[in-house]
Amino acid sequence: MTHSIMPGHHRPAHEGPGPVARGTHLRTGEPARWTWAVPVTGGITLGLFAIFLAGNNGYTTGSAVVIGVVAGLIAMAAGYALLHERNTMIAEVRAAAFGALFGGSMGFLHALSGGTVLRSVGIGVLTALGMGVASYYVFYWHEHRADM
């Protein structure tokens, strides 16, 4: 594969660090349904699992529900913010943000299941790194697919 600035090769190149090439028009108006459905589904799932784990590990029913609802709402808000602002972030920042959200959620759930703080942090960091690397691969592949 040759570079786009070499003589005789005048293919349009990706011109900036952003996820969208210059000249591409993004759809404006009402966001797609999945931009709110995915965070809501993830937040509900995380909240229900947090309620289950807290209930099985000595919390009263009321406090388990509060923990689950708060965790689900925070995950929903963070997920919606990430999906809503995804076009303003470069692939590396987007991947790190998705990794941090996933790793934080997994570390929190492990802490609710009775794990030690150090082990919960370790699991959170490892899952964040895994999600970050996987997300970066997907984002980079989708952005540079047209150049291949």
Side-chain angles (χ1 to χ4, degrees), residues 20-86:
V20 179
R22 185 169 291 161
T24 302
H25 298 286
L26 295 175
R27 211 174 63 181
T28 58
E30 194 169 321
R33 180 178 295 167
W34 65 269
T35 60
W36 62 265
V38 170
V40 168
T41 304
I44 290 172
T45 304
L46 179 89
L48 290 174
F49 196 53
I51 291 170
F52 171 75
L53 288 175
N56 283 343
N57 288 302
Y59 290 90
T60 64
T61 304
S63 62
V65 169
V66 169
I67 288 171
V69 168
V70 170
L73 288 175
I74 289 172
M76 276 186 223
Y80 180 76
L82 282 175
L83 288 178
H84 189 265
E85 297 298 322
R86 72 188 180 281

Side-chain angles (χ1 to χ4, degrees), residues 4-147:
S4 63
I5 63 170
M6 294 185 69
H9 299 284
H10 299 289
R11 293 187 342 203
H14 187 69
E15 296 182 6
V20 179
R22 185 169 291 161
T24 302
H25 298 286
L26 295 175
R27 211 174 63 181
T28 58
E30 194 169 321
R33 180 178 295 167
W34 65 269
T35 60
W36 62 265
V38 170
V40 168
T41 304
I44 290 172
T45 304
L46 179 89
L48 290 174
F49 196 53
I51 291 170
F52 171 75
L53 288 175
N56 283 343
N57 288 302
Y59 290 90
T60 64
T61 304
S63 62
V65 169
V66 169
I67 288 171
V69 168
V70 170
L73 288 175
I74 289 172
M76 276 186 223
Y80 180 76
L82 282 175
L83 288 178
H84 189 265
E85 297 298 322
R86 72 188 180 281
N87 290 333
T88 62
M89 294 184 266
I90 60 175
E92 293 85 359
V93 173
R94 225 177 336 157
F98 279 102
L101 176 62
F102 185 73
S105 298
M106 293 302 108
F108 171 71
L109 289 176
H110 189 268
L112 274 180
S113 70
T116 63
V117 173
L118 186 60
R119 186 170 173 96
S120 298
V121 168
I123 287 176
V125 167
L126 288 177
T127 56
L129 287 173
M131 177 60 87
V133 168
S135 298
Y136 179 72
Y137 174 76
V138 170
F139 298 149
Y140 185 84
W141 184 76
H142 279 288
E143 289 175 11
H144 294 53
R145 173 176 48 184
D147 295 340

